[in-house]
Amino acid sequence: MDTDSTRNTPLPKLLIASGEASFDLFYRTRFLTPDPVIYVETPTTRSLLLSDLEVDRGKKQATVDEVVPTRTFEERLKANGKRANLPAIAALFLKDRHFDRVLVPFDLASGYSRALESEGIEIVVSDGELYPQRALKNPEEIRWIRETQIGVEESLEIALELLRKAEIREGLIWVDGEYLTSERVKSVLKQEMLKRNLLGRHTIVAGGEQACDPHMEGTGPLPAHLPIVFDIFPSHEETRYYSDMTRTFFKGAVSPELKRNYQAVLDAQNKAIDLAGPGVDSKLLHEAVVAHFSSMGYSTGIRPDGRMEGFFHGTGHGVGLEIHEAPRVGRAGELLAPGHIITVEPGLYYPGVGGIRIEDMLAITDTGAQNLTTFPKTLKSAIID
Amino acid sequence: MDTDSTRNTPLPKLLIASGEASFDLFYRTRFLTPDPVIYVETPTTRSLLLSDLEVDRGKKQATVDEVVPTRTFEERLKANGKRANLPAIAALFLKDRHFDRVLVPFDLASGYSRALESEGIEIVVSDGELYPQRALKNPEEIRWIRETQIGVEESLEIALELLRKAEIREGLIWVDGEYLTSERVKSVLKQEMLKRNLLGRHTIVAGGEQACDPHMEGTGPLPAHLPIVFDIFPSHEETRYYSDMTRTFFKGAVSPELKRNYQAVLDAQNKAIDLAGPGVDSKLLHEAVVAHFSSMGYSTGIRPDGRMEGFFHGTGHGVGLEIHEAPRVGRAGELLAPGHIITVEPGLYYPGVGGIRIEDMLAITDTGAQNLTTFPKTLKSAIID
C-alpha cells in the first residue's frame, strides 16, 4: 500500500472523473454523472465533491460518507482571482484537510496531474489498479453479473428462433421473405436485451469470413453452412455489471472440417475450464488451449496475404464493471482467487474456412469454479437444421 | 498551435486510448476498439498502431494513412528485456521516426505520461481541446446529429401515446390497468430509439418532485397535473453522434402557477434562441434567460432545507460526439461560429411546485441559427388531456 512516509498512513486517494468514465469512481460511489466530479478517500472518510446541480441527487444516491458542495471552494478561488476549475477545487479541499500528497489512478487525466502539481499537490500515480479488490467480486456483484447473463441467454434463445424458422436459399439464410442479415439478428438481440435492461453496444453476430476477425461486429446477409459467431457482452443499465458469452451456430449441413474445428475449440475450452480454481495461475488455462490446438495440428500465424489465422488471442479475461478487467487469462497469467470472474474463450479462425469461438464465464470459488453460463454448446446444439 | 521550437513545425500529436473512451481518437480514426490503441498524427501522416487482433479490421475501417502492427515493436522490446506495454511501444515508434517531443490530450492517462517521460519522450499536455475543430461540425456531422434527433422525435411521439390514452386516478396516471411509471415510459422510449439505432442510456422521464432535480432520471408512478420532464439525449450506434432535446408535459388540468412557469421558461428560451448566431458571445444567451426570469420575479438560490430552487444551471452546451462539449452556453461564454451545435435549455425548478425545462438544439449557420428541434413546445401542446 502506498503510504505517506512522513506519517506512515496510507495516502489519500484522489479521483477526478465522471462515474460514466471512471469505473473506480462508480465502484466507490455507485453514483453516475456525465461530467467529472472530485472524490477523495482516506481510511476514515470518503468524500464526494459536487456542484449545486448534483448535490441533492448525490446526497440521496452516493455511497460515500459526505457530499461536499463545491460552491464555497469556487467562491474562495474566485475571491482570490483564481480559476475555479476542478483541480484547483480539489487542491483547496486537500489543503484544508492538510494533505499535500495523494495517490491517483493510472488514468487520471494528465492535465489534472499537471494542474494539481502546480497547486503544490504531490501526485503519486498508481502503478496498477487503484482498487485491486475490484477484481474480487462479492456475492452481490456476482448476482448482478449472473442477472446480466440470464438476460443474455433469454435473448439469444429468442434471436435463434430466426435461424430455426429460416430456410436456405442459394447458400444464404431466408426468413420472412428476405435474406437474414447480421443487422436483423443483432437488432432482435439488442431489443430483447433492452427489455431486460441490458445494453449490448457491440454485440457481434458475424458469419463466414467476417467471423475470422474476432472483433468484427458483422454486417450483411448471413451464410448457411458456415459458422456464425454470436459474442454477446452487454452491461446492465442499473448495476452496470457486464456478462460475456460467445456461441457459434451453423444453419444447415456442416462440413466435416468445420465440425472438427468446432469440436477442437469446445474440447480446448473444456480442458481450460477444468483447470480453473483458486490458487491456479490463469496462464495454465491458456497454455492448455494452445497445447490442445497444437496437438490437433492447428497452426497459428500470419498468412502470406497478411491476415492472421489459427488462435491468436488470449484465452480470457476478467469481467465486472469493465468488459475487460483483471485477471488476465493469457500468455501472462495471474493467480486465480475466489471472487474472480473470468471468461474462457478459445477460438479457431481460418480465412476461407470460417471462424469459431466458444466462451463461458466462470466464477472462481473457494474450492473450484462455477460456470455461470448455462447456454448449450455441444456440436449438436450448434447446428440448426 | 504548439510547435517544436527547434524545428518550428507542429508537434506530433499522440493519443493512447480506446475509440470507446476517447472521442478525439474516434474523431480522427472513426475506429472503435474496447482496448486502448496508439495513434500518432503529424501534419503529413496519421498512424494507427494496432495489435494482431485489430490490424485486419483497422486496415478496412480506420480513416488513417497507415495501420502499423505493434508486433515488431513488441518483439524488439522483449528482445531488449523490456516490457512491451503501450507507452513503451509508442516511445519506440516515436524514436524510430525521430520524434522526442509530443503533444498529448488533456485526458491522456497520467500513467502513460509518466511512462513516456521515463522513456525519454517529452510530453506537452494540451491546455484545451486537442482538436478544437471538433466543435465545428461539417455538413456530414450535422446530418448525423439531425438523424439522431429525428429518431428521438419519432420515439417521443410514440411514447406520448401512453399519456394520451391514459386516464387520471387519484392524482396519478392510469393506463392499461396500472399506474404509468417513469420506468415504463423510459422503456418504450428506449425500445423505440433502439429500433432507430439510438442508445438513450440516461433518458430522463421525471415527474413532480423528481423533476426538480435536473439530473434525476425518474422512478415510480408519474403524477397527473404536475410537470413531467422528458430529457432525451441518445447517441447513434453507428455514427456515435448525440442529439439533445427536453420537453415538459402535463397530464390533465394544470394550475395557473405551473402554466405561468411553463410560459416563462418557453419565453426565456425563445429570447435566447433569437440571439443565437455567428460572432455572438454565447453568454449573452444565458444572460437573456437569467434576465427574463429575474424580470418575471423568479428567484434562484438555496432553500433553508438545503435544496436548490429557481434556475441554477447553464443555459446550454455544445453537442457532438460528446453530449456535453464545446461551446459552453453559460455564465462563461464563447464566440459562436458556423458549425457549432448548441442546446438552449432553460428551466425553473421549485420543490413543492415542480420542475420545468424546455430544450432545443441549434446549428449556428453563416447568417444565424437553425433550430434542429421540430417537436412542438407550446403550452397547449404540453398539456395532454
Side-chain angles (χ1 to χ4, degrees), chain A residues 71-143:
Chain A
R71 179 183 270 260
T72 54
F73 297 97
E74 290 163 15
E75 287 167 354
R76 284 165 59 195
L77 287 162
K78 283 176 188 163
N80 288 322
K82 298 182 82 168
R83 282 179 59 192
N85 56 23
L86 289 174
I89 293 167
L92 197 52
F93 175 83
L94 290 167
K95 287 177 197 164
D96 277 2
R97 305 221 170 172
H98 309 292
F99 298 124
D100 52 13
R101 193 157 172 265
V102 289
L103 181 66
V104 304
F106 188 89
D107 65 357
L108 180 73
S110 296
Y112 290 144
S113 291
R114 297 266 169 114
L116 287 158
E117 285 168 342
S118 77
E119 297 286 343
I121 303 292
E122 189 183 341
I123 301 295
V124 180
V125 180
S126 179
D127 230 3
E129 294 288 337
L130 197 63
Y131 297 105
Q133 67 265 40
R134 253 184 59 200
L136 301 171
K137 276 72 180 178
N138 65 32
E140 185 175 38
E141 292 174 293
I142 293 174
R143 184 164 53 75

Side-chain angles (χ1 to χ4, degrees), chain B residues 293-367:
Chain B
F293 288 148
S294 176
S295 76
M296 298 282 292
Y298 291 101
S299 62
T300 291
I302 303 177
R303 291 151 40 113
D305 66 2
R307 295 195 67 182
M308 299 292 301
E309 67 173 16
F311 172 57
F312 46 82
H313 56 69
T315 287
H317 53 83
V319 174
L321 282 170
E322 292 180 86
I323 180 60
H324 291 160
E325 59 179 45
R328 291 167 295 181
V329 184
R331 276 176 291 182
E334 299 175 44
L335 279 193
L336 296 174
H340 275 149
I341 306 278
I342 61 165
T343 68
V344 179
E345 49 176 313
L348 284 174
Y349 313 90
Y350 290 98
V353 179
I356 292 164
R357 184 166 63 258
I358 305 172
E359 173 182 30
D360 286 357
M361 188 172 60
L362 310 183
I364 306 302
T365 66
D366 290 336
T367 54

Side-chain angles (χ1 to χ4, degrees), chain B residues 146 247 269-270 273 359-363 369-374 377:
Chain B
R146 297 191 72 164
R247 289 291 181 266
Q269 193 214 24
N270 282 326
I273 289 173
E359 173 182 30
D360 286 357
M361 188 172 60
L362 310 183
Q370 181 182 13
N371 194 329
L372 304 182
T373 311
T374 67
K377 59 180 177 176

